[in-house]
């Protein structure tokens, strides 16, 4: 993943004689799997795998594995000057960590949000992130199609979750959970591709970019 994004977002020519390049790190082998595990946990919560009273069951994975793991991947990508990769991982680190903070804060009353205002608070959170990830989807149309599909599905899942909150509809929230599973599957494919290459395998097809 990191190599694909780096190749699509960096350009330049050099007249220097060819040299043997040092191995390039791949932050995706850390960032993508922790993203996938958090997505699976969230999807299971959304589809009702755990009772509504235990909706916080996904938070330990989302915070300690996904959020912190994506911070590590962001720092790693930034150290390698993989700007687009670092930006993507930073955006999703912010999403997952703020999701955990929102859930824990509302449950424990950290933010002074009264019970009648919880729904609006959730709407604020979902609208903000839906707009940013929608923008990310548009900004990365030059990447292989798999990435556009991933970000697009995330945007759809946020929209469905927002609709579920606005309409107090558990069925819409459950539908959002199935879309979460869909983008988790795309993430799993990207992880397999990145790990396969890291172990010496050939790149897997990721689809042609929407914009060449």
């Amino acid at each position: 993943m990191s190599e694909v994004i780096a190749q699509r977002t960096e350009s330049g020519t050099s007249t220097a004689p060819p040299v043997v390049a040092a191995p390039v790190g791949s932050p995706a082998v850390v960032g993508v799997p922790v993203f996938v595990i958090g997505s699976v946990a969230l999807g299971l919560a959304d589809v009702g795998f755990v009772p509504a009273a235990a909706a916080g069951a996904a938070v330990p994975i989302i915070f300690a594995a996904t959020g912190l793991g994506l911070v590590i991947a962001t720092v790693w990508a930034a150290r390698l000057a993989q700007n687009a990769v670092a930006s993507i991982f930073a955006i999703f680190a912010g999403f997952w960590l703020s999701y955990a903070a929102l859930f824990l804060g509302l449950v424990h009353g950290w933010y002074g949000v009264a019970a009648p205002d919880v729904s609006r608070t959730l709407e604020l959170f979902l609208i903000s992130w839906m707009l940013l990830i929608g923008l990310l989807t548009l900004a990365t149309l030059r990447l292989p199609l798999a990435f556009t599909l991933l970000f697009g599905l995330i945007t759809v899942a946020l929209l469905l979750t927002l609709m579920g909150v606005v309409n107090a509809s558990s069925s819409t929230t459950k539908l959002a959970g199935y879309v979460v599973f869909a983008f988790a599957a795309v993430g799993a494919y990207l992880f397999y591709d990145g790990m396969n290459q890291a172990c010496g395998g050939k790149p897997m097809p990721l689809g042609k970019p929407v914009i060449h």
Side-chain angles (χ1 to χ4, degrees):
M1 174 181 169
S2 300
E3 293 85 351
V4 173
I5 297 178
Q7 290 169 5
R8 295 293 303 185
T9 57
E10 296 175 4
S11 61
T13 58
S14 174
T15 57
V19 295
V20 178
V24 178
S26 179
V29 297
V30 171
V32 177
V34 296
F35 173 87
V36 170
I37 192 63
S39 301
V40 171
L42 178 62
L44 288 171
D46 283 347
V47 299
F49 181 79
V50 293
V59 173
I61 292 176
I62 287 171
F63 173 72
T66 305
L68 297 183
L70 284 168
V71 170
I72 293 171
T74 299
V75 174
W76 185 1
R79 291 277 294 176
L80 295 174
Q82 296 180 0
N83 298 332
V85 180
S87 176
I88 291 169
F89 285 146
I91 288 171
F92 287 109
F95 170 77
W96 292 107
L97 289 173
S98 63
Y99 174 88
L102 176 69
F103 185 90
L104 293 173
L106 291 177
V107 168
H108 295 286
W110 292 345
Y111 308 131
V113 177
D117 299 323
V118 168
S119 178
R120 279 293 187 182
T121 302
L122 294 174
E123 291 170 23
L124 181 153
F125 176 87
L126 292 166
I127 291 170
S128 298
W129 281 107
M130 183 180 66
L131 291 175
L132 178 58
I133 296 177
L135 178 60
L136 175 66
T137 304
L138 295 176
T140 54
L141 290 177
R142 294 184 184 277
L143 296 181
L145 184 61
F147 297 100
T148 302
L149 178 61
L150 174 66
F151 303 144
L153 285 172
I154 295 170
T155 305
V156 171
L158 289 169
L159 175 60
L160 289 171
T161 304
L162 175 63
M163 292 171 60
V165 171
V166 171
N167 299 316
S169 171
S170 60
S171 59
T172 306
T173 300
K174 183 174 289 188
L175 179 59
Y178 290 120
V179 177
V180 171
F181 287 141
F183 69 67
V186 177
Y189 181 84
L190 292 171
F191 169 59
Y192 184 84
D193 172 61
M195 183 61 77
N196 182 56
Q197 292 186 59
C199 293
K202 295 181 179 180
M204 298 176 65
L206 300 180
K208 296 181 179 180
V210 175
I211 299 177
H212 295 278

